[in-house]
Amino acid sequence: QVQLVESGGGLVQAGGSLRLSCAASGRTISTYGMGWFRQAPGKERELVAGISSGASTYYVDSVKGRFTISRDNARNTMYLQMNSLQPEDTAVYFCAARRNSYSVPEAWRYDYWGQGTQVTVSS
């Protein structure tokens, strides 16, 4: 069993930056596909960025060039660096892991989830 805990969310002005962390415990996540999802009120949960066990990355078009996903297997931790934040980035951000090497867009295909961290961007 894997436990995931997010941190780093908060309130920031438009144009600002935040760095989210997802710390895993219970077992190593080095062989897992990982992802950062977000869910805004009234909207579907969407994959924002994904990273495979081999560190291949995926980004949804709306965050390309602004967000960077990374993982540190020695620390059993995944990160999301978010720059040039915009009000439309406001959401609860979740980290997720799946018992497969690759990240995928479908939330139901992930096996473990964190509790979420709120990101609010003011205009």
Side-chain angles (χ1 to χ4, degrees):
Q1 195 76 347
V2 174
Q3 293 80 43
L4 302 174
V5 178
E6 302 98 336
S7 61
L11 173 64
V12 64
Q13 288 188 329
S17 298
L18 286 173
R19 187 193 196 205
L20 304 184
S21 298
C22 173
S25 61
R27 64 159 292 164
T28 179
I29 56 169
S30 61
T31 60
Y32 287 8
M34 305 284 294
W36 284 101
F37 287 77
R38 67 186 178 190
Q39 188 165 20
K43 294 192 175 182
E44 298 273 328
R45 189 172 295 192
E46 67 167 346
L47 179 68
V48 174
I51 187 165
S52 71
S53 61
S56 297
T57 57
Y58 161 86
Y59 298 94
V60 69
D61 285 347
S62 60
V63 308
K64 283 180 181 176
R66 300 189 297 124
F67 290 12
T68 302
I69 189 172
S70 61
R71 64 194 301 165
D72 184 339
N73 290 333
R75 288 185 165 83
N76 227 26
T77 302
M78 177 177 66
Y79 304 97
L80 185 68
Q81 177 67 43
M82 304 186 294
N83 299 327
S84 302
L85 283 160
Q86 300 301 315
E88 51 266 34
D89 295 316
T90 295
V92 178
Y93 284 70
F94 299 89
C95 69
R98 60 189 302 260
R99 294 187 299 266
N100 185 285
S101 297
Y102 299 98
S103 67
V104 294
E106 298 87 1
W108 66 267
R109 295 174 71 178
Y110 286 77
D111 301 294
Y112 306 105
W113 290 86
Q115 81 288 351
T117 185
Q118 177 71 46
V119 171
T120 303
V121 185
S122 63
S123 57

